[in-house]
Amino acid sequence: MSRFVKLNQIFIAQIILIIHVLKCFSVGKLTKILHSSEFCPINDDLMITKYILNIYSIHTACFLNYLLAFSCFIIFCSWQVSKTMKEDADEDIAKYDGKWEVEPLKENKVPGDLGLVLKSRAKHHAIAALLNRPFAFKDKPLIVQYEVNFQDGIDCGGAYIKLLSDSEDLDLDQFHDRTPYTIMFGPDKCGEDYKLHFIFRHKNPLNGDVEEKHAKRPDVDLKKIYTDKKTHLYTLVLNPDNSYEIFIDQSSVSRGSLLTDVVPPVNPPKEVDDPKDSKPEDWDERAKIPDPEAVKPDDWDEDAPAKVPDPDAVKPEGWLDDEPEFVSEPTAEKPDDWDEEMDGEWEAPQVPNPACSAAPGCGEWKPPMISNPQYKGKWKAPLIDNTNFQGVWSPRKITNPDYFEDLHPFRMESFRAVGLELWSMTSDIYFDNFIITSEKEVADRWAADSWGLKKLVASANEPGVLSQLALAAEERPWLWVVYILTVGLPIGLAVLFCWPKVCPDPTEEIPFNYFAVNHIDVWVQRNNSLHDLFSSQQKDSVLYNHNQSRYQEKQNKTNTAYTHAQLTVQICIAFTFYMYSFNTLFYSK
């Protein structure tokens, strides 16, 4: 019965999907899944999509293949691979012949979920898709969001997207690196330089020149994100008030203003240096000058060397003055192909003189050099304040003839396509769930139904804490010492200070000298019975008072010992927490 119900659910979902697509076609607003710059006019459209995908994830009968093909058509039907060539590259690598595939993730797969995957190494890749309508920068925000997974890590390459400017000559078949774009956004890495690009092209209102503006770097370490082989969500939010914010996995990593936090600035300075102004010939910029009245001392010897032979040095006994340090190798022979006309006269290679191996040295002996105490170097007059100092000269300022003030850089050129134009030394870069919208809530709901599911699957497949610690110790064997200290030291201290000792029977008669024995915990347990025991036995009053005094002394020591034990336990807990934090820090690296 449950299988029949599931089949009926799939059939109903299929009908809903077909009606929904036909309705979108009828109004010319097919924006589903990839180009979600606006949603089709159906109530709770995103929830319907979620419902259909949930039903689709039930692997039931022949509807699986049909729904898979239908979903792929909706997502990827408008992607077009570029057929052009780069203009500034060698012919053998100029073609955009990198391969693209539609396939699931290698790890942490979500049933039925496919993505666009860059498959080739050391090749140019270019692929693009048109939006259903251009995005115009007016009074609504722009939210760009998509997923990336560097499945094999990343050596050198990017995974950024370009929002291609709306122009009459936009041809996706000829999409290349110089195709005009409005915004470039996404991760990039080469060498040890990890970047997250946000670049927009700003048009000069005076002369029409277009200049790239680069946002400041994110305040986060990107290395771990780019190398952990997990799916990450990249989000760019641009607001009409010129503010922007960048998110990774829905956490803010950078924010700023298009007016103040980009390089070079959108607006040029109001004043610039006068190119016609020049420094006067008599302008003195020297703050200090040599003292003209200073005289070199008579005993100043500028010719004295910096190093002199050590006068106290003595030649070691056994030094072989007549033996050279190197001699010709006696067994060397001239090669048969040696041509003296071409190669010159042949000489045997030089080797250390074996006669010098047992002696302190060979050849002419020279005493070692030491610093010359008489050396002073070249004499220079001391510096004094320059009475004619006029300061550092700078040209006068004039009004900038190229000055303009654009207070609304958000109003960029509209765009109507999304493109991936990449070079990568790493293959299997996975892209998925692109969305362009004006509502942050829509992007968040979209992420919850797509990236959120991938995150749950990845979390469920992660090894436990013990497994992670064992894996860390395999890479860093010295961590076993940390583990042993972390576990063993608190246990050892607890046993040393807190382990209970054997207690004698409280009903036995207590000897006079028993109180001199250091059994702290015995007296804690016998606290209530001690007085009654002595009373019942009618001990001598002197002995009783003596015992009570010794008992009070031991009770005070007991309280002190237990205070020390509590302090020791607290130290153990603090030490354990410190060692765990230390291990976690190094394991994360």
Side-chain angles (χ1 to χ4, degrees):
M1 177 62 69
S2 61
R3 181 179 179 85
F4 176 77
V5 171
K6 289 180 179 180
L7 288 172
N8 283 338
Q9 289 177 339
I10 292 177
F11 178 75
I12 294 172
Q14 178 186 356
I15 297 300
I16 293 174
L17 182 59
I18 293 173
I19 294 174
H20 175 52
V21 172
L22 289 176
K23 183 170 182 180
C24 291
F25 270 119
S26 66
V27 297
K29 293 185 177 181
L30 180 58
T31 58
K32 284 310 300 170
I33 302 183
L34 176 64
H35 338 295
S36 299
S37 55
E38 68 175 24
F39 286 98
C40 299
I42 285 185
N43 293 332
D44 205 11
D45 174 71
L46 193 59
M47 294 306 296
I48 292 177
T49 302
K50 179 179 178 182
Y51 173 73
I52 293 173
L53 292 177
N54 287 337
I55 299 300
Y56 162 70
S57 66
I58 304 171
H59 299 270
T60 311
C62 62
F63 288 104
L64 177 62
N65 294 330
Y66 174 79
L67 288 177
L68 178 59
F70 198 75
S71 297
C72 290
F73 171 78
I74 293 175
I75 298 176
F76 300 107
C77 64
S78 58
W79 285 108
Q80 298 182 41
V81 178
S82 176
K83 301 174 183 177
T84 188
M85 298 177 63
K86 288 178 70 73
E87 298 179 1
D88 55 351
D90 296 335
E91 185 175 354
D92 55 340
I93 62 171
K95 282 187 177 182
Y96 284 96
D97 54 355
K99 302 299 181 183
W100 299 89
E101 296 290 345
V102 177
E103 59 186 33
L105 286 166
K106 290 182 177 181
E107 300 177 356
N108 302 319
K109 301 177 182 178
V110 176
D113 185 59
L114 304 175
L116 182 63
V117 182
L118 180 150
K119 299 296 293 183
S120 306
R121 295 180 66 254
K123 288 185 178 293
H124 293 287
H125 302 73
I127 191 170
L130 287 172
L131 303 178
N132 71 306
R133 64 176 177 83
F135 184 94
F137 293 89
K138 295 182 180 178
D139 56 352
K140 290 185 178 181
L142 168 67
I143 294 91
V144 181
Q145 182 173 275
Y146 69 109
E147 301 169 12
V148 176
N149 187 322
F150 297 109
Q151 300 183 93
D152 294 336
I154 181 69
D155 293 326
C156 184
Y160 45 80
I161 65 172
K162 292 181 177 180
L163 306 182
L164 305 182
S165 302
D166 184 18
S167 60
E168 296 181 356
D169 58 349
L170 179 60
D171 183 1
L172 301 189
D173 288 338
Q174 301 298 313
F175 172 43
H176 54 87
D177 60 326
R178 298 185 181 180
T179 300
Y181 68 87
T182 301
I183 290 175
M184 190 175 94
F185 169 66
D188 188 18
K189 183 255 182 182
C190 199
E192 289 301 315
D193 190 10
Y194 297 83
K195 299 179 181 178
L196 181 57
H197 291 297
F198 167 39
I199 304 171
F200 68 94
R201 300 174 79 232
H202 179 262
K203 187 175 182 180
N204 188 315
L206 297 181
N207 54 28
D209 291 344
V210 176
E211 188 177 35
E212 291 183 350
K213 309 295 182 181
H214 296 249
K216 63 181 181 181
R217 284 177 172 263
D219 300 326
V220 66
D221 183 11
L222 299 172
K223 182 176 181 179
K224 183 178 181 181
I225 298 174
Y226 289 5
T227 58
D228 62 5
K229 300 182 181 181
K230 295 181 179 180
T231 303
H232 293 284
L233 185 72
Y234 297 89
T235 307
L236 170 66
V237 178
L238 282 179
N239 297 305
D241 63 356
N242 301 316
S243 64
Y244 71 86
E245 190 165 9
I246 298 174
F247 298 83
I248 299 180
D249 297 341
Q250 298 184 319
S251 296
S252 178
V253 297
S254 179
R255 64 177 64 187
S257 170
L258 302 180
L259 289 170
T260 58
D261 297 305
V262 297
V263 178
V266 169
N267 296 313
K270 292 183 178 181
E271 293 184 333
V272 294
D273 294 338
D274 185 357
K276 299 179 181 180
D277 192 14
S278 60
K279 182 173 69 173
E281 295 181 358
D282 59 348
W283 191 277
D284 195 344
E285 293 183 322
R286 300 173 301 168
K288 298 282 187 178
I289 59 172
D291 186 357
E293 300 179 357
V295 179
K296 182 176 71 172
D298 295 336
D299 60 348
W300 191 286
D301 186 2
E302 293 184 344
D303 299 326
K307 297 284 186 178
V308 294
D310 186 359
D312 299 328
V314 179
K315 182 172 68 174
E317 294 184 4
W319 188 279
L320 305 178
D321 296 271
D322 299 330
E323 290 287 344
E325 292 186 46
F326 294 92
V327 296
S328 299
E329 185 178 356
T331 59
E333 296 180 358
K334 183 173 70 173
D336 296 336
D337 58 350
W338 187 274
D339 188 346
E340 293 191 355
E341 293 183 0
M342 297 292 296
D343 303 325
E345 183 181 357
W346 181 82
E347 294 180 357
Q350 298 290 299
V351 295
N353 189 347
C356 300
S357 59
C362 293
E364 182 184 0
W365 179 83
K366 295 180 180 180
M369 305 297 287
I370 61 173
S371 297
N372 184 3
Q374 304 299 324
Y375 174 75
K376 298 182 179 181
K378 187 175 179 60
W379 181 83
K380 295 180 180 180
L383 297 178
I384 61 173
D385 292 335
N386 183 5
T387 56
N388 297 322
F389 176 62
Q390 296 174 272
V392 178
W393 181 87
S394 60
R396 62 174 174 266
K397 297 292 185 179
I398 62 172
T399 302
N400 186 357
D402 298 322
Y403 174 74
F404 63 85
E405 187 176 31
D406 182 0
L407 298 179
H408 304 285
F410 171 79
R411 297 174 185 172
M412 309 174 194
E413 185 177 0
S414 60
F415 63 89
R416 64 183 177 98
V418 176
L420 297 168
E421 189 272 318
L422 306 169
W423 165 274
S424 178
M425 294 301 296
T426 307
S427 60
D428 290 323
I429 302 177
Y430 177 94
F431 300 87
D432 202 2
N433 293 310
F434 297 81
I435 181 170
I436 298 172
T437 181
S438 296
E439 301 293 336
K440 185 65 166 61
E441 294 78 8
V442 170
D444 291 341
R445 292 170 63 190
W446 181 265
D449 289 344
S450 53
W451 173 77
L453 186 58
K454 289 187 178 74
K455 184 179 179 181
L456 288 176
V457 173
S459 299
N461 293 334
E462 286 185 352
V465 175
L466 295 179
S467 299
Q468 294 183 28
L469 294 177
L471 290 175
E474 289 181 4
E475 298 179 0
R476 307 172 182 85
W478 55 266
L479 284 177
W480 287 114
V481 178
V482 178
Y483 298 161
I484 293 173
L485 291 176
T486 303
V487 177
L489 185 59
I491 294 176
L493 292 175
V495 171
L496 179 63
F497 287 97
C498 307
W499 192 263
K501 298 178 175 57
V502 178
C503 302
D505 187 355
T507 60
E508 295 181 358
E509 184 175 353
I510 305 173
F512 177 79
N513 62 352
Y514 183 77
F515 290 91
V517 182
N518 185 21
H519 282 77
I520 299 173
D521 49 348
V522 170
W523 300 113
V524 174
Q525 297 181 16
R526 300 180 62 180
N527 185 21
N528 295 328
S529 61
L530 184 65
H531 182 271
D532 295 335
L533 183 63
F534 278 106
S535 298
S536 62
Q537 295 178 355
Q538 298 296 318
K539 295 291 182 179
D540 183 79
S541 60
V542 175
L543 175 62
Y544 178 79
N545 292 335
H546 174 76
N547 288 343
Q548 286 286 16
S549 174
R550 296 299 301 272
Y551 166 72
Q552 186 65 38
E553 179 182 350
K554 291 298 180 180
Q555 190 175 32
N556 294 336
K557 292 183 177 180
T558 299
N559 295 335
T560 303
Y562 273 91
T563 301
H564 292 168
Q566 291 176 356
L567 180 60
T568 302
V569 171
Q570 294 174 0
I571 294 175
C572 291
I573 294 174
F575 178 79
T576 303
F577 177 77
Y578 166 76
M579 297 302 290
Y580 177 78
S581 303
F582 176 81
N583 174 44
T584 303
L585 174 63
F586 276 83
Y587 177 59
S588 64
K589 295 182 179 179

